[in-house]
Amino acid sequence: MNTKLNEILTKALEEIESATTFLKLNEIKAFYTGKKSPLSEIMRMLTNATIEEKKTIGAASNRVKQQIEEAISNKRVALEEKEINDKLQAEALDVTLPGYEFKKGSIHPLNKTIEELEDIFVSMGYSIAEGPEVEIDVFNFEMLNVPKGHPARDMQDSFYINENILMRTQTSPVQVRTLLEAEGKPVKIVCPGKVYRRDDDDATHSHQFMQLEGLVVDKNITMSDLKGTLSVLMKKMFGENRKIRFKPSYFPFTEPSVEVDVSCFKCGGKGCSMCKHTGWIEVLGAGMVHPNVLKGAGYDPKVWKGFAFGAGIERLTMLRHNIDDIRNFYTNDYRFLKQFEGER
Ligand code: PHE
């Protein structure tokens, strides 16, 4: 019997030793400790044995069973440890590998221009105003001296939302909003913002672009104030030696109206491809606030005078950086934008 028990033990220990999975180990456990195990078989064979025999064999069988169970539980611990180590190995991170390169964004060239313009005007005592892009016809046109049916409406093809509401075609409605809010007090603001026109997009046109509006209203404002202000602006934007000139123009909300040219910053005025050999580059529209606009907003035009101007942000930015296609600003091509990193 003892030989038999030893055989069982040796075999069981061998099997346990060679088990590599929990499944296999469970099978071994079921086989050697269950009702039909070889050990139970031996106990059954003892039916006819003496009490003494039963005692010794029973005890020996129990010891074998205990040894087997102990070996199984040791093996289980070993398998668990192996499982953890395998997992750690499989998920190991090589912290010395170089990381991904994260591309760093930079301030958009249009925003840089806006920031610079704002700095220039704030240093001259202006406040920054804002207005909505979805605007009422009354502010975008009517109170700017462009009644319904006025031919000047054709100068700016519009996106209408309904009969009275449109996407603003210019930042000039902020003039009206600012005057109404100021309720008869002096006004000195600039307002940057997006505007919308029904234009076909090409290298120099976009259905959506940005403007900077300027408005000064006070008691003794003259055209020299306008000229002095824009002269400072152009020197700061395009260099100390820049001159400006006014050409007569037409806007319904200014009288007189002017087109403002700056002397070419590339050739200094001698004539080159940049200024189309004229020595001058057209940069913005301006004029003295029309009496009808002042009156409409509650300012007596006999007492109050003002000047206003509107500049295209894209155009100024294109001139400064020699950009030949306005669409570059909107396509978010990283290679284009990266060129302006850190630059003004
Ligand atoms: N709003 C005009 C335009 O978009 C520009 C402008 C503004 C002209 C203010 C005169 C005064 O064309």
Side-chain angles (χ1 to χ4, degrees), residues 150-169:
H150 192 288
R153 289 200 176 208
D154 295 343
M155 287 164 72
Q156 301 174 359
D157 259 346
S158 325
F159 290 113
Y160 273 90
I161 287 164
N162 64 33
E163 215 184 311
N164 304 312
I165 300 175
L166 74 163
M167 301 307 290
R168 67 179 176 195
T169 58

Side-chain angles (χ1 to χ4, degrees), residues 97-148:
L97 279 176
Y100 294 109
E101 188 202 350
F102 282 101
K103 290 192 171 159
K104 217 167 31 82
S106 54
I107 296 175
H108 194 280
L110 294 178
N111 285 337
K112 281 194 177 151
T113 303
I114 291 173
E115 281 176 13
E116 186 174 4
L117 289 167
E118 287 183 347
D119 282 352
I120 293 170
F121 281 102
V122 166
S123 78
M124 293 195 272
Y126 285 69
S127 321
I128 313 291
E130 267 182 64
E133 290 170 29
V134 178
E135 186 55 283
I136 54 172
D137 183 281
V138 175
F139 290 163
N140 194 81
F141 286 130
E142 246 163 87
M143 290 182 74
L144 286 168
N145 201 29
V146 190
K148 287 216 162 67

Side-chain angles (χ1 to χ4, degrees), residues 37-297:
S37 78
L39 292 176
S40 316
E41 196 63 29
I42 285 176
M43 293 315 281
R44 264 196 298 281
M45 280 158 59
L46 292 181
T47 2
N48 300 322
T50 63
I51 293 191
E52 213 39 53
E53 273 174 334
K54 278 185 186 167
K55 257 194 192 160
T56 43
I57 307 266
S61 167
N62 271 340
R63 272 198 305 277
V64 167
K65 192 174 173 187
Q66 263 170 22
Q67 272 173 286
I68 292 174
E69 279 173 346
E70 204 177 290
I72 288 174
S73 92
N74 286 343
K75 183 70 182 181
R76 190 178 301 281
V77 172
L79 283 181
E80 274 164 5
E81 246 168 50
K82 187 174 177 317
E83 190 178 57
I84 290 171
N85 285 335
D86 285 354
K87 208 165 167 183
L88 284 177
Q89 196 120 46
E91 293 171 7
L93 284 182
D94 182 351
V95 291
T96 65
L97 279 176
Y100 294 109
E101 188 202 350
F102 282 101
K103 290 192 171 159
K104 217 167 31 82
S106 54
I107 296 175
H108 194 280
L110 294 178
N111 285 337
K112 281 194 177 151
T113 303
I114 291 173
E115 281 176 13
E116 186 174 4
L117 289 167
E118 287 183 347
D119 282 352
I120 293 170
F121 281 102
V122 166
S123 78
M124 293 195 272
Y126 285 69
S127 321
I128 313 291
E130 267 182 64
E133 290 170 29
V134 178
E135 186 55 283
I136 54 172
D137 183 281
V138 175
F139 290 163
N140 194 81
F141 286 130
E142 246 163 87
M143 290 182 74
L144 286 168
N145 201 29
V146 190
K148 287 216 162 67
H150 192 288
R153 289 200 176 208
D154 295 343
M155 287 164 72
Q156 301 174 359
D157 259 346
S158 325
F159 290 113
Y160 273 90
I161 287 164
N162 64 33
E163 215 184 311
N164 304 312
I165 300 175
L166 74 163
M167 301 307 290
R168 67 179 176 195
T169 58
Q170 48 189 354
T171 41
S172 301
V174 182
Q175 288 189 33
V176 180
R177 288 177 171 273
T178 307
L179 289 176
L180 288 175
E181 230 168 78
E183 294 179 319
K185 287 195 264 314
V187 158
K188 198 172 175 186
I189 57 110
V190 286
C191 164
K194 283 186 192 150
V195 302
Y196 301 80
R197 293 189 194 174
R198 273 182 51 189
D199 259 333
D200 289 330
D201 292 0
D202 62 26
T204 53
H205 294 87
S206 168
H207 63 282
Q208 175 245 284
F209 58 101
M210 300 187 94
Q211 290 187 327
L212 181 90
E213 191 82 11
L215 174 70
V216 175
V217 171
D218 210 326
K219 285 187 175 149
N220 295 307
I221 301 296
T222 69
M223 206 139 179
S224 322
D225 296 313
L226 173 61
K227 193 155 190 180
T229 303
L230 294 180
S231 179
V232 169
L233 172 65
M234 289 304 143
K235 283 177 195 294
K236 295 218 166 149
M237 290 285 289
F238 294 106
E240 227 6 81
N241 297 326
R242 296 287 73 76
K243 292 193 182 63
I244 61 166
R245 72 174 184 188
F246 283 177
K247 290 182 301 186
S249 184
Y250 173 73
F251 298 103
F253 34 87
T254 46
E255 179 59 35
S257 301
V258 291
E259 207 69 69
V260 183
D261 287 353
V262 63
S263 59
C264 183
F265 46 84
K266 197 169 171 196
C267 63
K270 287 195 284 291
C272 68
S273 59
M274 183 90 170
C275 57
K276 300 192 187 102
H277 304 284
T278 63
W280 295 95
I281 298 172
E282 204 174 282
V283 278
L284 54 91
M288 300 305 290
V289 181
H290 196 289
N292 286 353
V293 175
L294 289 171
K295 222 186 295 170

